[in-house]
Amino acid sequence: MAVKESFPGARDEEDFVGASSVVLRGHGFGPDSSIACLAICRDEICQSLALHVDRVWGQPFNLAGLAGMIFAGKTGFGAARSHSPNLDGRERYVFFAAPHIAIGAGGEPGLCERVHRNGPSSACGALVALLGEIQNGQLGSTDDPDDVELGLIRQRLGTRLLNDAGQTHDLLSLTGAAHDMIREDLERTVAVTVDPAKADHAVITGVQIHGPGGRNYFQPRTAYAVENGKRHELDLSLEARA
Ligand SMILES: [Zn+2]
């Protein structure tokens, strides 16, 4: 089917959250010992991931804005850290981060339907807007006070891709580029805010996909845990629910 052709390894979103929690438990991360931190788009069709994470981990700390881009910065990461359980003397953070994309029934990137709304819709709207500007070779304003988040996305992701001469982009490649920047921002901010002597953390990134019929999927792209400063890759392929 179209979702799995475009996103190999994508699986039902709830199964993905369940499987990742089982794997993370094996590394000492659980709802009583860890805080979940989430970077997903503001779009309402993305919030199912927050609900699944909430069911397993408790309410997650929100790090992101439009397109799942991380705008919380050191202040936001610092707040999340200071909210972590620590009864055993150690803090633990589990980061989930992903841009999103809809895939239509015929495999059309970006196409989705929304309940109680006439006509086709698109997702991610912020990335669709940016894609149009990149294809025209001209980015919109980066400092419009009435469009702060898209301005930040243009400034960072837009500028990077526009300067990447010779590369053409479509929504799939732009979503991949957004994923890479979100992961980069996450890891850079973790590096300056997390002290491995005092805390463990796990990073799970990927792409959230809205398939036909309102079904959501997740394609993991990065999964690791850092315990006592040592990195362990995580295999999220097991078939399990929490
Ligand atoms: Zn979006």
Side-chain angles (χ1 to χ4, degrees), residues 40-43 46 65-68 100 114 122-127 210:
I40 56 174
C41 185
R42 297 183 179 281
D43 194 326
C46 295
L66 290 176
H100 71 127
R114 296 179 191 262
S122 61
C124 171
L127 292 182
H210 315 289

Side-chain angles (χ1 to χ4, degrees), residues 73-75 77-78 81 184-196 201:
K74 287 190 284 190
T75 302
F77 277 66
R81 269 192 317 131
E184 208 176 292
D185 287 348
L186 173 60
E187 291 180 330
R188 193 185 61 255
T189 318
V190 163
V192 295
T193 55
V194 174
D195 179 355
H201 73 280

